[in-house]
Amino acid sequence: MNGAPFFDALHRVPPLLAQHVLLAGCALLLGIAISLPLAIWSSRSDPVSRVALGFASLVQTIPSLALLALFYPLLLWLSGIVGGGIPALGFLPSLIALTLYALLPILRNGVAGLRGIDPAILQAADAVGMTAAQKLRLVEAPLVAPVLIAGIRTAAVWTIGAATLSTTVGQPSLGDLIFAGLQTQNWALVLAGCVAAAALALAVDALIGLIERGLSVRRRGLWATGLTLLVAGLAIATTPLWAHGSDRRTVVVGAKNFAEQYILARVIGDQLERAGYDVEYRDGLGSAVIFGAVAGGDVDVYVDYAGTIWTNEMKRQDVPAPARMLPAIRDWAARTHDVGLLGTLGFENAYAFAMKEDAAQRLGIASLTDLVSRAPQLALGSDLEFLERPEWAAVKASYPLRFASATPFSPTFMYRALESGRIDVITAFSSDGRIAADRLVTLTDPRHAIPGYDAILLVAPKWRDNSRFAAALKPLVGKIDVATMRRANYMVDRDADKRSPENAAKWLEKAIGL
């Protein structure tokens, strides 16, 4: 890989590193604040110890990505109960999840250290008349400190690593680079994110290790040096957050986790910046999160697809024509969530089952009806969401498809799996440039099981009636045809002259005359 893209990617690291350090640092400090008194209590009570350590161990069995995702609907529900005011996206759900992840090593080491102190030492402290508080401060704390610091050291590394996943719930972190790189096959971004996260974890681990050694050998200068360097390093890393913002209102532009969304988010952002707004991006959000985020005001504007809103949010199973579907979505979004629908972008990005052209011809498959008899001998690959979406249930209800296997992939690797022959059929996207480039054919849907997926602009309640905001985005309405969108997507997905989503967005803006 050419070194230039990697060094370009490194320029994006400082602001994301600052957010990453802030999140991981706060989670670790909160974890320590909870674990220390709990460890003392647990060391003196077996029932408390069993409950506390059991809960902390249970948390570790939950995949970190799932734990992060679970707090979003929980906070959204709580916000509805108390009448709003609780941020359900971004920092708060990430902080809670990472704090829970940090508990186990600190708590376990604290309990083990306190219970491992020689009873004779504690008896001697009692004999000289020490109070419980004095015994804890002057005897137990110095003896348990090295063991406790070792637990904090482990928790710090775990927390820094898990913080990369906070991207999925809208919290900026070094995971932004990793997720964006994976979805757009920009390995320089992936490498930059991984290197930065690993360097941060190693540096923090080394400095906490220095504190641990200083406490072990009773050398105040050693542990004080480690603590000073740690605090100074974290302060320096967070300097991008110290800058004062401008007086202009910042707009948060959301994007799901595939190339088209990254491109369109940048086009929207460029339009808003030209109109005088400051823009932030929340990339990599799932379909289950992003609509709730715009309804709750955590995201201000994003592009969704009519069929996704129709099936996932409205829970509709019928498949009307777009002329009926879009007004119904507009009315429902405004009436139930106060979300505005500014219009369609002009193209459709529908789910479409696709196969290699030569394989489809050989097997005589041109439609989903034809696929039914062949499915038991074929392997299906889908994106990460499709097999759990209502659209898949609707397809199975209309066509009794029974594949030999069904495997979810990220979109990038789904196409690679089809190319390699590992799978035979994929749930492609109709605006994806790889369909033509890879010589794929999309199968027709004669029973109309899959709804239309016009790309639509959705805006948060606070911007819904803002004429200046709407005027900035109106030039996008109806201007992007599917062929142009496919070309922009392919620039990011598989072009020999591979471009970033930002560059593809600039090309798209010129192509549609902005």
Side-chain angles (χ1 to χ4, degrees):
M1 181 175 63
N2 189 326
F6 173 70
F7 289 111
D8 289 340
L10 287 179
H11 291 146
R12 296 176 57 179
V13 166
L16 294 175
L17 176 64
Q19 294 278 4
H20 198 106
V21 167
L22 179 65
L23 173 62
C26 290
L28 185 61
L29 289 175
L30 188 55
I32 293 171
I34 295 171
S35 297
L36 290 185
L38 197 54
I40 296 169
W41 190 12
S42 298
S43 69
R44 289 154 170 72
S45 170
D46 286 337
V48 173
S49 176
R50 283 193 294 270
V51 172
L53 288 172
F55 173 76
S57 298
L58 177 64
V59 169
Q60 293 295 326
T61 68
I62 304 173
S64 50
L65 186 60
L67 190 65
L68 281 160
L70 285 173
F71 278 106
Y72 173 75
L74 177 61
L75 291 173
L76 202 62
W77 175 76
L78 287 175
S79 183
I81 293 295
V82 302
I86 299 177
L89 194 73
F91 188 82
L92 184 58
S94 303
L95 176 66
I96 297 172
L98 293 177
T99 298
L100 291 178
Y101 251 78
L103 294 180
L104 182 61
I106 304 172
L107 182 60
R108 179 171 286 168
N109 279 35
V111 172
L114 288 168
R115 288 183 172 177
I117 296 174
D118 189 339
I121 297 175
L122 300 179
Q123 291 169 3
D126 291 332
V128 298
M130 284 188 179
T131 65
Q134 288 174 326
K135 186 167 61 174
L136 177 63
R137 179 170 58 88
L138 299 174
V139 178
E140 293 176 295
L143 292 174
V144 80
V147 179
L148 182 64
I149 294 295
I152 294 174
R153 190 175 175 180
T154 300
V157 174
W158 285 7
T159 303
I160 290 170
T164 58
L165 299 174
S166 65
T167 294
T168 58
V169 291
Q171 169 60 27
S173 73
L174 293 170
D176 288 20
L177 299 175
I178 297 171
F179 279 90
L182 287 173
Q183 296 305 327
T184 61
Q185 301 184 72
N186 187 335
W187 309 120
L189 285 181
V190 176
L191 185 60
C194 290
V195 167
L200 175 62
L202 290 173
V204 171
D205 180 64
L207 291 173
I208 297 178
L210 185 61
I211 297 171
E212 180 187 350
R213 283 198 302 277
L215 292 171
S216 299
V217 300
R218 305 289 200 278
R219 290 178 57 185
R220 181 171 183 173
L222 195 60
W223 67 257
T225 299
L227 182 60
T228 301
L229 290 174
L230 180 62
V231 172
L234 296 181
I236 293 171
T238 56
T239 50
L241 301 178
W242 301 354
H244 296 289
S246 70
D247 295 330
R248 300 187 303 178
R249 184 77 176 269
T250 297
V251 177
V252 179
V253 181
K256 299 185 186 185
N257 57 354
F258 52 96
E260 179 172 289
Q261 285 277 310
Y262 294 130
I263 296 168
L264 292 174
R266 270 63 192 176
V267 172
I268 292 170
D270 288 346
Q271 282 293 105
L272 291 171
E273 286 178 345
R274 293 187 191 104
Y277 295 95
D278 288 330
V279 173
E280 292 181 3
Y281 297 99
R282 294 288 183 273
D283 295 329
L285 302 176
S287 292
V289 170
I290 195 166
F291 181 80
V294 79
D298 295 308
V299 166
D300 295 314
V301 58
Y302 82 108
V303 174
D304 213 322
Y305 304 95
T308 298
I309 301 298
W310 189 258
T311 56
N312 283 19
E313 303 299 332
M314 298 174 67
K315 311 300 182 185
R316 296 285 293 267
Q317 297 181 356
D318 54 319
V319 184
R324 290 177 48 216
M325 180 185 289
L326 291 172
I329 293 174
R330 187 191 304 273
D331 175 70
W332 173 85
R335 177 169 37 84
T336 61
H337 297 283
D338 204 23
V339 169
L341 195 164
L342 288 185
T344 66
L345 296 183
F347 72 95
E348 182 182 17
N349 186 2
Y351 273 113
F353 287 76
M355 300 178 64
K356 290 181 179 178
E357 186 177 41
D358 55 351
Q361 291 176 351
R362 185 178 69 254
L363 297 173
I365 300 174
S367 68
L368 291 179
T369 303
D370 301 331
L371 184 61
V372 171
S373 62
R374 297 287 190 175
Q377 291 81 45
L378 302 177
L380 172 68
S382 77
D383 65 58
L384 295 172
E385 299 179 1
F386 183 78
L387 297 177
E388 304 301 325
R389 288 173 65 109
E391 293 95 325
W392 176 227
V395 168
K396 289 191 295 183
S398 297
Y399 307 94
L401 292 169
R402 298 292 183 271
F403 288 96
S405 64
T407 307
F409 297 87
S410 71
T412 294
F413 296 110
M414 178 179 70
Y415 283 90
R416 291 294 179 91
L418 180 63
E419 183 181 5
S420 68
R422 179 179 172 184
I423 55 178
D424 306 292
V425 185
I426 63 171
T427 55
F429 309 105
S430 61
S431 63
D432 199 318
R434 289 171 288 193
I435 291 176
D438 291 353
R439 297 182 64 82
L440 306 182
V441 294
T442 57
L443 308 182
T444 61
D445 174 19
R447 297 174 188 172
H448 304 291
I450 302 174
Y453 285 83
D454 289 285
I456 53 178
L457 269 173
L458 296 178
V459 298
K462 61 188 173 186
W463 298 108
R464 181 184 164 201
D465 298 320
N466 188 304
S467 58
R468 178 185 168 212
F469 187 84
L473 298 178
K474 278 295 183 182
L476 300 177
V477 174
K479 291 296 182 66
I480 308 175
D481 61 69
V482 69
T484 306
M485 194 69 243
R486 281 176 180 168
R487 178 58 185 153
N489 288 337
Y490 192 66
M491 288 177 179
V492 175
D493 286 325
R494 190 75 64 79
D495 203 341
D497 180 22
K498 188 172 181 60
R499 303 190 193 182
S500 67
E502 291 80 7
N503 288 336
K506 297 297 183 186
W507 178 89
L508 181 58
E509 290 165 13
K510 292 181 180 178
I512 62 176
L514 293 181

